[in-house]
Amino acid sequence: MSDHEYTPKSKVGKWFNDRLPLLTLANHLSDYPTPKNLNYWWTFGGILTFCLITQIVTGLVLAMHYIAHADMAFQSVEHIMRDVNYGWLIRYIHANGASMFFLAVYIHIFRSLFYGSYKSPREVIWIIGIIIYLLMMAAAFLGYVLPWGQMSFWGATVITNLFSAIPLVGEGIVTWLWGGYSVDNPTLTRFFTLHYLIPFLILGLVVLHIWALHVPGNNNPIGIDVKKPSKDTVPFHPYIVIKDGFALLMFMIVFAFFVFYTPNILGHADNYIEANPLVTPAHIVPEWYLLPFYAILRSVPDKLLGVIAMLSAILILAALPWLDTSKIRSAVFRPLYKQFYWILVADVLILGYVGAMPAEGLYLLVARIATAYYFLHFLVVLPILGFKERTTPVPLSITEPILGGSPNLAVVKKKDSFEK
Amino acid sequence: MSEKKSNRRDFLFTATYAVGAVGAGAVIWPMIDQMNPDASVKALASTEVDVSAVNPGKTITVLWRGKPVFIRRRTPEEIAEAKSVKIDDLKHPEKDEDRAKNPEWLVMLGVCTHLGCVPLDQKGDYNGWFCPCHGSHYDTSGRIRKGPAPTNMEIPEYKFVDANTIKIG
């Protein structure tokens, strides 16, 4: 925690802080030494916190009007849109909020990939992040089922059927998940319950994520350790608070654009047709943020192996701190990794694109190549690169490139011995 | 400390853990099993369908246990096509005779065995069914011929109550 002892100035504050050190915590958060070279890619942690709070608040309000019953869910959503005061606004914020949440989380994840934020000593922060990401996908999927439209129903059918790929017990698990022999009312009510629960689990994990972050402190664009507090750091408040605040404002403009100008562009028209268990829509496509994984699922011609490939594509990220063998964190000093990084970005975008297209012909071929490359990147390229790559010289400190030398003698010594 | 005393303590620990585990299991199981199909869902186990209005070459779809069931009155050509397939060419080898006891009537769950979508009638490369979700092709006997689905479409338990009525379940 804080490097210095904190005592509140007021008598009441001191009395309270002696019994529950909340003010010490607040002081730690405010004084928290932050690398002074953080760029705008580092503002997405704050933006994501905003997204989570937005989803919880709007979700809570929607739950006051929504009815989780197969016969009434679709009507109740239309009731929210047409009758409830500002219901349209609240629902559009919630629905587009999910997309904005994923947009921000993908930027956050790819920032980590570029600057090596997942590497020692930040592996636990990274793994907690991956768990949060998995829970986000679960929450998004469960929430998408609740309006009980055609895409809700068939999305739920396809995703729950993924479990039927498990040998022997698969069918039993699917029946258990459904609470019947198909997706029906029991499925809807339990999905609503879990959709309500997961954001609070995420909130708890976010606290752990930040706690684990505050042990080693932030990584930074040049990826070297900083001594804190020193000339390399600035206090979180007001420096980072104002920077995060400005970035959040920019993000909210994008958010508001979707909510007010194109609230349905990220959804599917089929979901405004009530669920019908007798007719499957012609094209079942998940929401945009799940498309790369959907493409991986479809690119494998075997049911069980397809499901395994899709899950591995996500879980492989948890092993990333050990798959990347390079000691240098930031891609700034890794000329080859930098190129492979952008190839990976392109690969994921291509997977997302073919995931939205029908699984046939050229699309299928491209999906297969892109899937193979995705795994090659993590399982072959990254481990080898750590040994083969010639990295460029890393500065001694954040201040060195500007002022020359390090503000901390200890850092200079440590780096010197490192190079010998 | 004598040997005997520590043995007695070990026994108490083990016994406590064992009783604790049984107790936890007894509490957890109802919490898990409550999610399985309940009595009211299980009660809707069978459906009777009047098929007198179904002409050859027509399919009707009925809902049974929340799932669509295809009842197709097949044309002689379709039956011939289904019977002419070599059993070795099939991904999931089943004879047409075993799937349609009365060859004119094919009664099967209209659920793709890949991920549960409802395949489209009279589509695909084998004149049977085609699943739009992930591109599985089924033949005129509902057998998987091409695509990611692992098995043929399932045949539910059914019987002809009389010449015009099928009881499913």
Side-chain angles (χ1 to χ4, degrees), chain A residues 154 157-158 161-162 164 175-176 178-182 186 190 277-278 280-282 284 294 297-298 301 303, chain B residues 32 34-38 41-42 61-63 65-68 113-118 132-134 148 150:
Chain A
W154 292 101
T157 300
V158 168
N161 261 306
L162 292 177
S164 72
T175 306
W176 176 72
W178 287 342
Y181 303 104
S182 63
R190 67 191 54 179
L278 293 179
T280 306
I284 293 202
Y294 192 63
L297 168 77
R298 293 196 306 182
K303 180 170 164 180
Chain B
I32 294 172
Q34 54 83 23
M35 279 174 69
N36 271 317
D38 61 34
V41 171
K42 284 180 183 161
T61 308
V62 295
L63 211 56
R65 286 178 158 185
K67 282 179 180 169
T113 55
H114 182 225
L115 293 174
C117 297
V118 178
C133 292
H134 305 98

Side-chain angles (χ1 to χ4, degrees), chain B residues 116-131:
Chain B
C117 297
V118 178
L120 303 170
D121 202 356
Q122 297 284 281
K123 289 255 167 65
D125 297 354
Y126 297 88
N127 302 319
W129 284 266
F130 171 72
C131 183

Side-chain angles (χ1 to χ4, degrees), chain A residues 256-271:
Chain A
F257 173 80
F258 279 102
V259 169
F260 290 105
Y261 289 93
T262 59
N264 287 307
I265 197 167
L266 299 168
H268 297 287
D270 276 311
N271 223 28

Side-chain angles (χ1 to χ4, degrees), chain A residues 58-306:
Chain A
T58 52
L60 208 68
V61 180
L62 287 171
M64 294 179 185
H65 305 280
Y66 171 77
I67 301 166
H69 188 283
D71 296 338
M72 286 177 273
F74 188 81
Q75 310 300 333
S76 76
V77 171
E78 284 310 301
H79 162 73
I80 289 169
M81 293 302 287
R82 290 151 196 263
D83 304 337
V84 175
N85 300 330
Y86 295 105
W88 59 272
L89 176 65
I90 297 161
R91 176 165 174 264
Y92 278 154
I93 291 174
H94 196 73
N96 286 283
S99 280
M100 293 300 115
F101 206 157
F102 276 96
L103 176 68
V105 92
Y106 282 127
I107 294 173
H108 195 60
I109 290 172
F110 275 99
R111 187 269 292 158
S112 281
L113 293 180
F114 189 84
Y115 295 111
S117 301
Y118 49 85
K119 289 185 194 181
S120 173
R122 296 184 181 81
E123 301 95 322
V124 172
I125 312 173
W126 171 255
I127 289 171
I128 293 171
I130 297 297
I131 299 171
I132 294 173
Y133 174 51
L134 281 171
L135 284 175
M136 276 174 64
M137 289 199 277
F141 159 67
L142 294 168
Y144 196 56
V145 175
L146 302 184
W148 212 240
Q150 273 289 68
M151 278 294 169
S152 302
F153 184 90
W154 292 101
T157 300
V158 168
I159 299 294
T160 48
N161 261 306
L162 292 177
F163 291 91
S164 72
I166 304 167
L168 303 174
V169 293
E171 296 292 336
I173 289 176
V174 174
T175 306
W176 176 72
L177 287 172
W178 287 342
Y181 303 104
S182 63
V183 173
D184 210 333
N185 193 50
T187 326
L188 177 60
T189 51
R190 67 191 54 179
F191 277 21
F192 180 54
T193 310
L194 294 173
H195 181 69
Y196 210 121
L197 167 71
I198 288 176
F200 296 98
L201 297 181
I202 293 177
L203 191 62
L205 284 164
V206 166
V207 171
L208 293 183
H209 195 62
I210 295 171
W211 186 0
L213 169 70
H214 280 226
V215 176
N218 289 69
N219 185 27
N220 64 80
I222 60 174
I224 59 169
D225 291 327
V226 292
K227 177 118 170 68
K228 46 171 197 173
S230 72
K231 279 182 185 166
D232 277 352
T233 65
V234 290
F236 186 78
H237 183 74
Y239 295 95
I240 302 297
V241 169
I242 222 69
K243 187 161 185 163
D244 275 359
F246 178 69
L248 179 61
L249 215 58
M250 295 296 116
F251 184 79
M252 283 160 89
I253 291 173
V254 177
F255 197 143
F257 173 80
F258 279 102
V259 169
F260 290 105
Y261 289 93
T262 59
N264 287 307
I265 197 167
L266 299 168
H268 297 287
D270 276 311
N271 223 28
Y272 282 102
I273 303 168
E274 194 170 0
N276 179 357
L278 293 179
V279 182
T280 306
H283 290 286
I284 293 202
V285 182
E287 295 290 82
W288 68 267
Y289 39 81
L290 301 176
L291 286 173
F293 301 109
Y294 192 63
I296 291 173
L297 168 77
R298 293 196 306 182
S299 70
V300 181
D302 181 85
K303 180 170 164 180
L304 178 60
L305 292 179

